Structure formats: structure tokens, C-alpha cells
Amino acid sequence: AQSVTQLGSHVSVSEGALVLLRCNYSSSVPPYLFWYVQYPNQGLQLLLKYTSAATLVKGINGFEAEFKKSETSFHLTKPSAHMSDAAEYFCAVSDTGTYKYIFGTGTRLKVLA
Amino acid sequence: EPEVTQTPSHQVTQMGQEVILRCVPISNHLYFYWYRQILGQKVEFLVSFYNNEISEKSEIFDDQFSVERPDGSNFTLKIRSTKLEDSAMYFCASSGVGRGQQYFGPGTRLTVL
């Protein structure tokens, strides 16, 4: 069964520093991949998605992610963290033959002043 | 921008009681989903619904759960006899196509006492 692994349940970065949140999936067939952000007491907002087009995907708020088939990874990056980026980030995968999303355990990003 | 809405935002109930969580998906979407997130854990798929029937469900979605689209706009999740372990945030989502982007609502926090 498809699974998603997010390394690091908590990540802290200084304001202005690079943000790197890791996501690995298990399927041998490239699935659709998503990153969602959840601010406190809010729902899930899509940051970006990979659906087998360009391997470097740009999303909202300056985030981007690169699909690397050889590493089965879809890491999320942002060159310069902002205080408003503090939130929980979820990687999700939608496998072939199913419409459901499988979510990772989430990474809580803290941005230090 | 169209959005998924959910009511109520917070529901408190006694163990053994029935609850109905309501969702209004985006109006031209055809695929509907329920997910849940137990506090501190990852988001888990419960059920998907298309063409007035369940298309997929997880092992969590047992006989205590049911879904319905009672009219052209609402999508509901019913829990017949709530248990303490049903306490969670429940998210509704909808998509225009089967493997398209899922749009999530803000969630209903269910607390079972």
C-alpha cells in the first residue's frame, strides 16, 4: 500500500533562512503529489501539486517542490522563511486506481525572529 | 473563490449519541470525501462518494458511519452511536474530477464525552 513519510515532525528555521520540509512516498509508479498547509484552527490549503508534468513545481507564497523519481521524494522548499509561514505542512499522495489522498504525519514549521 | 463549507465548526456530544456533520461542497464538483484528523495525528481518509454512492471507504468507515447527499448541495457524514475515539477534526473535501485537486473545508471538531 502507498505510504508517505515526512521526516521531522518539528522544524525550526530563522526568519530569512531556507525552509526545507521532506517528503518521501513509497509507490514505484509516480503518483500525484501534493503539499498542504494548515494554519491554527483552519482547514487544509493547497500549496502546490505534482501531476506528472514539470518536475519542479511552483506554488503559492513562494514555495516550490521538486519531484525526484529516483529518490521517491517531493521535498518542499522556500528560499527565505517569513514569520507568516509558521504552520503545519502535510505532504499527500493520490495513487493510481484510487481517488483518496494518503497524508503524511505532518511537519510543524516554526519561524524564529 | 468558491469554497467548501462545513457546519458546525465544533460539536460536543455524549457517547452513544448520533451526530450529523454537514458539508456544502463546491457547486459544480462531482466527487466528495470525508477525512478525519485525531488530535496530534495525521489526516486519514474515511470515504469517497460519487454519483450518489460510496466509491471507496477505509477500514475506519464501519457500520457506525454513513454518508448521504440529501439534496443538490449538502453532503453529510452521520455517526450513529459515537464513541470516545471518534473525537477528531472531520474534514470534508470535494473535487471536480476523480483525481483532481481536492478542496478542503475548514473542518468540524467533534468532541465525544
Side-chain angles (χ1 to χ4, degrees):
Chain A
Q2 178 71 263
S3 66
V4 178
T5 302
Q6 290 185 243
L7 284 177
S9 58
H10 291 80
V11 170
S12 293
V13 298
S14 298
E15 192 174 20
L18 171 72
V19 175
L20 170 61
L21 305 181
R22 299 177 188 275
C23 173
N24 289 86
Y25 64 92
S26 64
S27 174
S28 59
V29 176
Y32 289 1
L33 293 153
F34 308 85
W35 274 101
Y36 281 84
V37 61
Q38 184 180 32
Y39 297 102
N41 300 314
Q42 293 189 28
L44 299 165
Q45 181 183 6
L46 181 72
L47 278 177
L48 49 79
K49 60 184 176 184
Y50 168 78
T51 56
S52 74
T55 56
L56 182 62
V57 181
K58 294 189 184 298
I60 61 171
N61 302 339
F63 284 93
E64 63 182 37
E66 186 173 7
F67 171 73
K68 290 188 177 180
K69 183 179 175 182
S70 61
E71 299 177 8
T72 60
S73 69
F74 190 58
H75 301 331
L76 181 71
T77 60
K78 182 173 180 177
S80 176
H82 192 270
M83 297 298 286
S84 60
D85 294 326
E88 185 135 26
Y89 292 80
F90 292 95
C91 181
V93 61
S94 173
D95 211 350
T96 55
T98 177
Y99 300 153
K100 69 183 180 187
Y101 283 9
I102 297 168
F103 283 85
T105 49
T107 297
R108 186 169 297 278
L109 176 66
K110 188 174 180 180
V111 182
L112 307 170
Chain B
E1 185 178 332
E3 58 183 22
V4 176
T5 59
Q6 291 185 244
T7 55
S9 57
H10 193 186
Q11 171 104 37
V12 181
T13 190
Q14 294 291 324
M15 190 168 56
Q17 295 296 304
E18 174 184 286
V19 295
I20 297 176
L21 309 183
R22 290 183 167 79
C23 168
V24 178
I26 293 173
S27 64
N28 61 347
H29 282 185
L30 301 175
Y31 296 80
F32 314 110
Y33 313 83
W34 283 101
Y35 293 81
R36 79 170 185 192
Q37 183 183 28
I38 294 172
L39 188 64
Q41 298 186 25
K42 65 180 178 181
V43 178
E44 301 172 288
F45 168 79
L46 291 178
V47 66
S48 59
F49 191 85
Y50 169 72
N51 200 24
N52 282 320
E53 61 182 30
I54 290 173
S55 47
E56 190 173 3
K57 61 182 181 179
S58 72
E59 61 272 14
I60 301 168
F61 194 88
D62 61 22
D63 292 343
Q64 292 299 312
F65 291 88
S66 62
V67 289
E68 193 178 30
R69 188 151 163 83
D71 52 44
S73 58
N74 289 283
F75 179 51
T76 61
L77 174 70
K78 182 193 290 186
I79 309 175
R80 263 181 271 282
S81 178
T82 50
K83 306 184 191 72
L84 295 175
E85 54 265 35
D86 293 328
S87 294
M89 180 74 89
Y90 288 80
F91 292 106
C92 173
S94 69
S95 64
V97 294
R99 289 196 75 195
Q101 175 188 334
Q102 292 180 20
Y103 293 79
F104 285 80
T108 293
R109 181 166 296 285
L110 175 65
T111 302
V112 182
L113 302 176

